[in-house]
Amino acid sequence: MDILPQRPPFIMVDQLTYYDLRKATTLFTVREDNFFCSGGRMEEAGLVENIAQTCAARTGYEAKTNTHGGDGNIKIGMIGMIKKMDIFRCPRVGEQLETSIEVVQDIFSTSLVTSKVEIGGEIIATCEMKIFLTNITAG
């Protein structure tokens, strides 16, 4: 939670498991009380938010560790575009998502990323997403 601008009950990342300047990977276990769960499964919008929060975890980690010009302040981001989104299935309660993003392009406060969401090696969703960072800081 110290690297995400989001707060409960809207947290869609449990752990940042990998980070470098171009990539990040997170884990998230789908729980019954999740904001996006209905009938034992997470809705498509939850996958979109999970991908966006993986991007937020990357930039939050950079800010907190002063990596790549981070200043310690976690900034609020917004989804600017979703392109080529393929959802092969929705995750069920109890399944763990492994979400990976790779930065294709960083220009000023905008990042274009490709993403992949997997469960046990099975790809369940992919997309391209553009994220805009604002000057508004979390907290």
Side-chain angles (χ1 to χ4, degrees):
M1 285 215 355
D2 61 333
I3 61 172
L4 291 175
Q6 293 81 4
R7 292 293 168 250
F10 210 63
I11 301 293
M12 303 293 293
V13 165
D14 292 328
Q15 181 181 7
L16 176 67
T17 58
Y18 181 82
Y19 166 84
D20 69 28
L21 292 179
R22 307 303 294 170
K23 298 178 185 178
T25 302
T26 61
L27 296 176
F28 177 68
T29 300
V30 179
R31 292 177 273 292
E32 185 68 43
D33 64 348
N34 182 276
F35 184 80
F36 293 104
C37 279
S38 176
R41 72 173 189 94
M42 188 167 75
E43 298 170 352
E44 291 85 349
L47 289 168
V48 171
E49 185 60 27
N50 171 258
I51 293 165
Q53 287 192 27
T54 297
C55 295
R58 176 185 159 264
T59 58
Y61 182 82
E62 287 176 351
K64 284 291 185 182
T65 60
N66 296 318
T67 305
H68 194 59
D71 62 5
N73 294 310
I74 298 194
K75 296 183 179 174
I76 305 282
M78 295 181 288
I79 298 171
M81 174 204 69
I82 299 170
K83 187 174 162 183
K84 299 180 185 174
M85 180 117 203
D86 288 311
I87 297 175
F88 305 106
R89 76 169 179 92
C90 289
R92 294 178 287 280
V93 168
E95 291 185 310
Q96 185 176 62
L97 309 181
E98 181 177 33
T99 304
S100 301
I101 59 110
E102 183 170 353
V103 177
V104 175
Q105 191 173 48
D106 260 335
I107 300 176
F108 301 110
S109 60
T110 304
S111 295
L112 175 63
V113 303
T114 58
S115 66
K116 171 175 63 171
V117 182
E118 297 178 81
I119 297 172
E122 172 194 4
I123 297 173
I124 65 161
T126 60
C127 80
E128 290 181 10
M129 186 177 284
K130 193 174 285 187
I131 299 285
F132 297 101
L133 286 181
T134 69
N135 288 324
I136 302 168
T137 57

